[in-house]
Amino acid sequence: MSSMNIAIPLHVLSVVIWVGGMFFAYVALRPAAVSVLEPPLRLRLWTEVFGRFFPWVWACVILILGSGYWMIFSVYGGMGALALHVHIMFSLGLVMMLVFFYVYFLPYRALKRATAGEDWPAGGKALGSIRRLIGFNLALGMLTVIVSTGGVYWNLAALTE
């Protein structure tokens, strides 16, 4: 059994959990919460949801980076051997991680503080920031999936000639 039999499924499963979680939260949970919950309950709900989802995102980030770097350096022989679409996937993934780190350490902490202190305007501001950044990250995540799965079939090398 090749170690790629472990690395690829871990990599893809981590992406599915992260991007799928953002899709569910943004497309299904958010509109439902807005339609049935008053702002204080909505802010409490999101604080709880993120408190459960973000540890999974941390695990996904670690697994994506670990499996990705392992494949790049152990299987493909380094960054220079990668196809252009893999470089694009890698770059988009890094941007997504940086956006997540920002969300986690700034607006999410502000949301937790505001919710604990029942400062609903501050909580709403923090949640609005998180919503916009998750929307951005969701778009990047879907683009990354498209590039990573379709890029092998594109003639991206022709673009650089």
Side-chain angles (χ1 to χ4, degrees):
M1 181 156 133
S2 163
S3 49
M4 285 291 280
N5 291 349
I6 296 169
I8 295 263
L10 280 177
H11 197 82
V12 172
L13 182 60
S14 296
V15 170
V16 167
I17 290 169
W18 186 10
V19 176
M22 288 189 297
F23 184 88
F24 170 76
Y26 200 83
V27 174
L29 183 57
R30 180 184 170 274
V34 167
S35 71
V36 300
L37 297 175
E38 295 299 320
L41 288 177
R42 195 177 324 139
L43 293 170
R44 286 186 176 120
L45 170 73
W46 281 111
T47 302
E48 290 293 319
V49 166
F50 294 139
R52 287 171 170 73
F53 181 57
F54 285 168
W56 284 98
V57 176
W58 279 108
C60 290
V61 165
I62 291 165
L63 288 170
I64 290 167
L65 280 174
S67 61
Y69 278 123
W70 184 87
M71 288 184 281
I72 289 168
F73 293 105
S74 295
V75 176
Y76 296 110
M79 297 295 283
L82 300 177
L84 180 58
H85 75 280
V86 180
H87 283 282
I88 295 168
M89 172 187 67
F90 179 76
S91 299
L92 291 170
L94 288 179
V95 171
M96 289 179 65
M97 291 173 197
L98 291 173
V99 170
F100 169 68
F101 299 155
Y102 178 84
V103 166
Y104 185 83
F105 289 112
L106 292 171
Y108 173 56
R109 285 189 174 173
L111 174 64
K112 289 194 308 184
R113 273 192 313 275
T115 303
E118 298 184 355
D119 183 352
W120 309 126
K125 182 179 177 189
L127 184 59
S129 177
I130 293 168
R131 177 189 55 78
R132 286 185 297 279
L133 290 165
I134 287 178
F136 176 73
N137 242 13
L138 174 58
L140 285 180
M142 293 191 307
L143 178 60
T144 303
V145 169
I146 290 167
V147 168
S148 67
T149 58
V152 71
Y153 303 104
W154 304 334
N155 187 8
L156 295 178
L159 297 175
T160 61
E161 294 176 353

